[in-house]
Amino acid sequence: MTFIPASEKILDIGNPDRELSYSQAIQEAMALAMEADPRVILMGEDIGTYGGAFQVTGDLIHRFGEDRVMDTPISELGGAGVAVGAALTGLRPIFEFQFSDFATLAMEQIVNQAAKLRYMLGGAVSVPLVMRFPAGSGTGAAAQHSQSLEAWLAHVPGLKVVQPATPYDAKGLLLAAIADPDPVMIFEHKLLYKMKGAVPEGHYTVPLDKAEIRRAGRDLTIVATSIMVHRALDAAAALAEEGIEAEVIDLRSLRPIDTATIVQSVKRTHRLLCVYEGVKTLGIGAEVSAAIAESEAFDFLDAPIARLGGAEAPLPYNPELEKASVPQVPDIIVSALALAQGRL
Amino acid sequence: MQDMVEASSASPDIIPDISPGLIGNLPEIYRRLSRPALHEALRKMQLVRRFEENAEQAYMRGLIHGTMHLSIGQEASAIGVCVALTDRDYITSTHRGHGHCIGKGAEIGRMFAEFFGRETGYCRGRGGSMHIADPSKGNLGANGIVGGGIPIAVGAALSAKRLGTGAVSLSFFGDGASNEGAFHEALNMASIWKLPVIFICENNQYGMSTSTERSMAVKNVADRAASYGMPGVIVDGNRFAEVAAASFDAVERARRGDGPTLIECKTYRIRGHSRSDRNRYRTKEEIESWQERDPIKLFQTELRNYGLIEDSEIASIQTSVEEEIKAGLQFASDSPLPSTMDVTRDVYTSV
Ligand SMILES: Cc1ncc(C[n+]2csc(CCOP(=O)(O)OP(=O)(O)O)c2C)c(N)n1
Ligand SMILES: [Mg+2]
């Protein structure tokens, strides 16, 4: 799948058509940052010789040594806290959770410490910390290894939360996160790690606060996140055959949300469908819907806002149940058709 | 010694290929457990091994979704511990929990059915390999979260004590799990409240790729027991007899109301951590040296040397294991799949 390149300025891009996988793109971003800045270190479980549970750090230990690619013991709370302390005092840690689910063990340090230190100390410090969270379902790993908890962290002022959907963004958002003085949480999708796409060589950044229109359309707006961007694009292609032109927006950043891009789009299309993998209730779709309801786009709506999200249940193991628990392309098509044909 | 004589006289045809000196050294556990109980333990160890080998094959043939963590090489700790328990005692287990499950009396068919995502599986196909539980037998479940089961076992011990059931609770966990805060917090509470709980660390030398030398500042997990004022016992985890003896002692101590014990079983996982492990962090020689200390072979040889089993009995155990596996696989593949209409079933107790 090819994407309209992100609109921001690209520096030293070399061959712009080079393809990398999403995980290679992340690895390249880390390597570039580590070469450029000795303060950048990687921390996480089995990220050294093992190369990371999803092989994202790969061979970086051979390039940068174990002082900079640090295997932590299985100690999420302590490890996250060490990363916070190091960020506070001059290092630039990139902390990998082996699965995003295990961030639940580290919530104290993320939510009470990393997010709040700067504010509580009256602006006297910053916490330039990056955390990476392999998230999402589809691997048959069941309820404790498949969650999409990004909305939890997006609820916390002091954190920035992004979800790259493409290899290009995976690299650019990570480089932007490393350069950012505040804690940035990056939710990666496990099923996207092998996905290939154009990734320029060298250093470039993708802004941490901008959504991206992936497909233009006039009949409805689909706001999607992470892997749902791809499913929405597949659905949009099918809808086009029915004569319905869906605009697909990759939300990309959950905190802050790029309300302006969504509002502009809905003012043109008059219909909104939100698609995300996290549990539907109190999820990112609620926030996007509210942003429209509170904006001037509200008056332009020709139909109620629709949301498609994860089931109100833990993720099951059985593959059919697992698929049924999160939005799939046919679900998006059905909802979009109902919305566009005024059946909602 | 007395029991030994009785056991032999019950089967006069046995010619123990063992020196009289060795019989004098017959480990206490071989007197404590009856001959049928020892055979059943050997059978269970083989059942664990064959269950996992068959699960692995099914996985490679694409019949199983997700991943799995095999305990091949660790059967003596799972079964040696469980022989000291009764059905009303509790266990909490880990991601590497097939042995614990079988040790606590789970049915092979329902375990395979869970792997195959069937409605007849222990979790009705919702949990998979990492979540098999059988509360009817006191198995409170495997766990996808490293260290997640340790405090839960302490809670079960609290219930047992308050409700006066006489049950004990036992938590299996790995060396890596002992680096989680939950381990340290749980041991402390178990000790200050003198709860009937036993902590079983299966130290297989690695937490995924990270060796204990690289992840712990002390040499033994058992050394950590001192900080929580409880005994820390180290046993050869590949020797059924050693594991079982220490487990019986700890269970008795817990039942007497003398509080918790930490037992560290030194063992080794022969397979990779999970299906995606490339074994880059350890050598072939290391794996092979542990393969030579296969717990099943060790136990079998020891039983034979002490005159506690005959070759024909070993053969019939193997046959019964193969039959049970075959029937289990058949049951699983004949079982119905869950309906996608039921995705939100059982999130709460009542709808
Ligand atoms: C809280 C948490 N952190 C990390 C993991 C990923 N993980 C699963 S098993 C494992 C290694 C556990 O090592 P150990 O406790 O020694 O048990 P073993 O796998 O060796 O049996 C890791 C890191 C997890 N499941 N849960
Ligand atoms: Mg281990």
Side-chain angles (χ1 to χ4, degrees):
Chain A
M1 200 165 289
T2 35
F3 285 93
I4 309 158
S7 46
E8 57 285 345
K9 212 170 98 190
I10 294 167
L11 304 167
D12 317 323
I13 56 169
N15 172 8
D17 295 329
R18 183 188 59 143
E19 291 224 323
L20 285 187
S21 71
Y22 185 91
S23 63
Q24 287 167 333
I26 296 166
Q27 186 183 117
E28 185 168 277
M30 294 192 288
L32 282 172
M34 291 174 87
E35 270 163 8
D37 184 347
R39 297 171 304 167
V40 177
I41 59 163
L42 311 184
M43 295 178 71
E45 290 163 18
D46 307 286
I47 64 167
T49 312
Y50 197 93
F54 297 98
Q55 296 301 314
V56 178
T57 45
D59 287 332
L60 289 180
I61 187 154
H62 301 306
R63 265 173 80 185
F64 297 100
E66 55 182 30
D67 287 347
R68 294 183 73 195
V69 181
M70 294 176 67
D71 274 338
T72 67
I74 310 175
S75 308
E76 288 80 10
L77 173 61
V82 171
V84 172
L88 196 62
T89 51
L91 293 180
R92 295 259 169 176
I94 305 175
F95 189 90
E96 172 179 300
F97 283 96
Q98 201 162 78
F99 283 73
S100 66
D101 311 67
F102 312 152
T104 55
L105 282 78
M107 277 298 162
E108 194 287 299
Q109 286 293 331
I110 301 173
V111 175
N112 294 324
Q113 313 296 342
K116 299 178 174 52
L117 275 165
R118 176 173 175 79
Y119 184 84
M120 292 189 301
L121 274 53
V125 297
S126 347
V127 184
L129 167 67
V130 177
M131 288 183 153
R132 299 181 31 247
F133 304 83
S137 66
T139 64
Q144 295 172 336
H145 285 74
S146 305
Q147 299 170 88
S148 298
L149 300 176
E150 52 277 356
W152 286 28
L153 294 186
H155 194 65
V156 182
L159 302 179
K160 296 180 179 179
V161 182
V162 295
Q163 276 185 291
T166 66
Y168 180 96
D169 281 2
K171 178 174 169 184
L173 287 170
L174 180 49
L175 284 168
I178 296 165
D180 196 273
D182 293 315
V184 181
M185 311 286 117
I186 305 183
F187 282 80
E188 299 161 1
H189 201 291
K190 284 168 251 171
L191 295 187
L192 293 179
Y193 280 132
K194 296 216 164 84
M195 193 195 81
K196 292 211 157 184
V199 177
E201 287 166 27
H203 188 277
Y204 67 91
T205 59
V206 170
L208 297 169
D209 58 356
K210 287 277 176 298
E212 180 83 22
I213 297 172
R214 298 292 184 189
R215 178 186 176 117
R218 56 169 196 270
D219 297 324
L220 80 151
T221 298
I222 304 179
V223 174
T225 57
S226 188
I227 196 167
M228 293 302 160
V229 173
H230 302 276
R231 295 192 186 155
L233 285 167
D234 287 352
L239 290 163
E241 286 172 19
E242 305 290 313
I244 294 165
E245 290 300 333
E247 177 144 304
V248 177
I249 298 180
D250 174 358
L251 190 60
R252 203 159 58 184
S253 167
L254 303 192
R255 176 172 280 273
I257 286 190
D258 178 5
T259 310
T261 298
I262 309 164
V263 167
Q264 289 312 315
S265 173
V266 173
K267 281 168 73 179
R268 284 193 307 273
T269 65
H270 304 185
R271 289 178 170 85
L272 172 65
L273 171 64
C274 306
V275 190
Y276 49 105
E277 181 164 340
V279 172
K280 180 178 163 186
T281 304
L282 290 161
I284 199 67
E287 192 53 42
V288 170
S289 307
I292 293 303
E294 288 171 344
S295 77
E296 76 258 27
F298 181 71
D299 283 335
F300 291 76
L301 285 175
D302 286 343
I305 294 168
R307 289 180 291 161
L308 273 179
E312 309 293 323
L315 265 305
Y317 162 74
N318 172 288
E320 293 309 314
L321 297 194
E322 186 184 23
K323 267 187 222 137
S325 297
V326 299
Q328 303 294 337
V329 176
D331 304 320
I332 303 173
I333 295 172
V334 168
S335 291
L337 275 176
L339 196 58
Q341 295 169 347
R343 285 188 278 114
L344 271 186
Chain B
M1 202 48 214
Q2 190 59 37
D3 294 353
M4 175 63 201
V5 171
E6 272 168 25
S8 315
S9 58
S11 322
D13 50 347
I14 294 180
I15 307 154
D17 69 344
I18 197 159
S19 72
L22 259 182
I23 293 182
N25 289 334
L26 184 71
E28 209 265 334
I29 194 74
Y30 288 141
R31 299 170 222 196
R32 175 174 210 152
L33 288 171
S34 69
R35 205 179 145 105
L38 288 168
H39 291 191
E40 180 56 15
L42 177 63
R43 201 185 82 84
K44 285 243 170 99
M45 281 168 67
Q46 290 192 356
L47 199 54
V48 176
R49 174 74 55 89
R50 295 295 296 143
F51 173 81
E52 291 197 329
E53 285 172 350
N54 277 272
E56 191 178 33
Q57 275 164 25
Y59 181 89
M60 290 189 305
R61 284 166 49 212
L63 300 174
I64 292 177
H65 185 44
T67 188
M68 65 177 72
H69 305 86
L70 302 177
S71 65
I72 291 177
Q74 304 183 193
E75 295 87 350
S77 57
I79 304 303
V81 165
C82 289
V83 289
L85 300 177
T86 67
D87 276 1
R88 74 187 165 158
D89 295 325
Y90 295 108
I91 66 163
T92 63
S93 167
T94 69
H95 57 285
R96 205 176 301 289
H98 308 138
H100 314 149
C101 219
I102 292 173
K104 204 70 178 65
E107 289 166 33
I108 295 299
R110 292 192 63 198
M111 287 178 70
F112 275 130
E114 189 54 39
F115 269 90
F116 293 171
R118 304 297 163 127
E119 193 65 40
T120 55
Y122 272 108
C123 315
R124 313 178 75 108
R126 272 49 165 198
S129 158
M130 246 186 311
H131 300 288
I132 299 182
D134 182 6
S136 72
K137 293 262 173 61
N139 178 355
L140 300 177
N143 214 307
I145 300 299
V146 168
I150 308 175
I152 294 176
V154 175
L158 178 65
S159 299
K161 184 169 177 172
R162 285 292 145 75
L163 303 175
T165 64
V168 302
S169 174
L170 185 148
S171 183
F172 287 100
F173 55 92
D175 45 286
S178 78
N179 296 316
E180 288 282 15
F183 164 85
H184 296 271
E185 297 177 24
L187 265 70
N188 187 48
M189 284 183 276
S191 198
I192 58 174
W193 296 326
K194 263 202 170 186
L195 295 176
V197 55
I198 299 101
F199 301 100
I200 304 287
C201 178
E202 296 183 284
N203 180 349
N204 58 10
Q205 327 286 331
Y206 295 91
M208 210 156 149
S209 69
T210 310
S211 66
T212 51
E213 290 87 73
R214 294 178 58 234
S215 61
M216 289 183 1
V218 289
K219 188 155 181 284
N220 306 299
V221 175
D223 298 344
R224 295 180 156 172
S227 312
Y228 306 107
M230 71 176 78
V233 181
I234 298 176
V235 297
D236 179 343
N238 282 27
R239 289 209 172 261
F240 170 85
E242 275 197 35
V243 176
S247 303
F248 273 108
D249 289 349
V251 167
E252 273 163 19
R253 180 181 141 85
R255 277 206 224 283
R256 277 200 309 270
D258 290 347
T261 304
L262 169 61
I263 299 175
E264 176 178 7
C265 304
K266 302 274 193 192
T267 182
Y268 198 79
R269 102 173 119 63
I270 299 298
R271 291 293 195 277
H273 164 74
S274 67
R275 298 305 316 163
S276 45
D277 190 345
R278 294 176 297 169
N279 278 317
R280 278 183 168 184
Y281 50 87
R282 55 184 191 170
T283 62
K284 226 176 103 210
E285 291 71 37
E286 181 181 294
I287 301 173
E288 283 167 3
S289 76
W290 278 90
Q291 255 165 335
E292 284 163 20
R293 304 197 60 252
D294 183 323
I296 298 180
K297 288 200 188 114
L298 286 178
F299 185 35
Q300 212 164 270
T301 309
E302 203 163 276
L303 287 178
R304 203 197 273 118
N305 287 350
Y306 284 121
L308 293 168
I309 202 163
E310 289 174 71
D311 286 346
S312 63
E313 290 171 310
I314 294 176
S316 67
I317 285 175
Q318 274 158 356
T319 314
S320 100
V321 165
E322 293 312 319
E323 278 165 7
E324 191 167 342
I325 294 286
K326 206 171 146 215
L329 282 166
Q330 194 63 46
F331 169 81
S333 34
D334 290 348
S335 290
L337 287 161
S339 156
T340 54
M341 303 299 286
D342 285 340
V343 157
T344 55
R345 174 191 167 144
D346 291 331
V347 177
Y348 298 101
T349 306
S350 54
V351 214

